[in-house]
Amino acid sequence: MMGVGVAGAGGTGVGVAGRGVAGVWGPLGVIGGAVLRGAGCAVGILLLVYPTAAVLWWLIGCWLLYQAGTALGIAALAPTAHARDRAARIRLLRAVQRLGAAPGQPAPEPLATHLYAAAGVAIRWEPKPGAAIAVIAHLTGSLLTVASACAALAVVDPSLAVGPSLCAAVAVGLVVRPRRRRADGRGRAGGAGRAGWDARRRETRIVTVLIGVLAAGAALGPALAAARRPDAAVGLCAAAVLLARFVYGLTAVDLTAVRHGRMTRRHLREVERAAEPEEGAPGVVPAGAMPDGLVIVPARASRLGFADLAANVHLGSLGPDDSVPERLPHTVRLCHLADLAQSLPRGWRTVLSAEFAGGVDLDDETWRRIAAARVSALLEGGSTEVLLPGEPDPFLAAVLADWGSRTGVRVRVSAGREGATS
C-alpha cells in the first residue's frame, strides 16, 4: 500500500509560495490575544474593588479589551495551525519524493513503519500537528488570565493570591504531568493511531475531577474574603468566579495532541533520514548533481495509501486550498483524473486506502494512471527532461508522448540501459 519510490524533480515543481504571514503573525497574535484577555480581567477586578465615578464605562472598556483579545486569538489560531499541518504534510511527501531520486535503490526495511506513523499528518481521524497549537494556546491563555487575576488580588491583599496561585500551579502540574511508563520503558499508552489516541484520553479522566476540586479551592479564598470586606465584595466575588472558570478550564487542555505531534515529528525525521542518499551507494544521484528540470521516474511507483487523491498527484506541491483541476488542468485531462475523482466518495479528498474511514482501495491499473499523472504534474510545472528506469508502461508512455509533442520534453533511460525513449 505504501511503496517508497515516487517521481521526483530536482529543483522544479508545481509549488506555490508559502504563507509566510501566518508563520510570522500567527503565534504573536495568539500570545497577544491571551495578554489582552488577562489584562481585561485584571483591570476589571481592580475597578470593582476600587470603584470610580466612571466605573461603568471603564468596565465596558475592559469587556471590549477581553473580547478583542479573544477575537485576535481565534483569528490567529487557525492560520497558525493550518501552516503547521501543511508544513508537516509537505515534509512527509517531499521525503517520499526524494526516496525516488535513486532509481532501483532498495527501500530500508523499517521505513514502512515510520511512514505509517507519520501518515497522521494526512488522514482524517489522527490529531494533526496543528492541533498542538490549539492546546498550547488554550493553556497559555488560561495561565495568563489566572496570573492576571492573582496579580489583581495581590494588589488588594497579598495573602489572597497565595491560595489561588498554589491551586493553579498544582492544576498545571496535573495537566503537564509526564506519562507513566511501563516496565519495558515504553509509554503505557504508546503508539500512533486511533487506539493510542483513545487510550491516552482515558488516562485523563480522573484529572478532570482533581482539577475541579482545585478550581473550587482557588475560588474559596476570594469568596471568604468578600464576606469579611463588604466594600470590596463585588470585585472579590468576580475574581473568585474568574479563577474557578479558568482553573477548571485547564481540564480542556489535553496534551495528547502535543505528545502525538512530538511523536509524528520523530517519525518524520526518520523518514527524512532514510530519504537522504548514502554517499557512494550504487545508483544514487549525488547531492547537488541533479539538474534543474529533471524528473526521475522510479522503478516502483509508490502507492501512498495514507494520502488523498490530490496529494498523490501533486505530492505536496500545492497548497491546502489549491484545486488540482485549476492548477494542473492538462494533467487532469490527459490522465482522465476528473472521472476518477467523481467516482470516489469524497472526490479529490478521498484517502486511497480502505484502512481509513472514508478511504477506498484502487486497482493496479488506476495506480499506474496516478503514477503517470505525477510525472505529468511535474512536467506541467516546468520540468523538461525525464529519466526512466526502463521501458514505460502504456499510461506513462502516452503521457510522455503527449508532452514530447507539445513541449519537446526529452526522455532518456537511466545508466545501465541502452537507448532512449522518445
Side-chain angles (χ1 to χ4, degrees), residues 153 160 163-164 167 213-228 236 239-241 243-244:
L153 289 176
L160 293 178
C167 290
V213 174
L214 292 170
L220 183 61
L224 294 177
R228 300 193 306 267
L236 293 174
V241 171
L243 286 170

Side-chain angles (χ1 to χ4, degrees), residues 24 26 30 59 67 69 115 120 162 208 214 232 243 260 270-271 280 304 333 343 362 364 375 391 396 414:
V24 174
V30 172
L59 288 175
Q67 294 301 321
L115 278 173
V162 176
T208 301
L214 292 170
L243 286 170
H260 179 89
E270 293 296 332
V271 175
L304 306 180
R333 291 193 301 269
S343 67
L362 303 179
D364 293 340
V375 177
E391 292 299 322
L396 182 55
S414 59

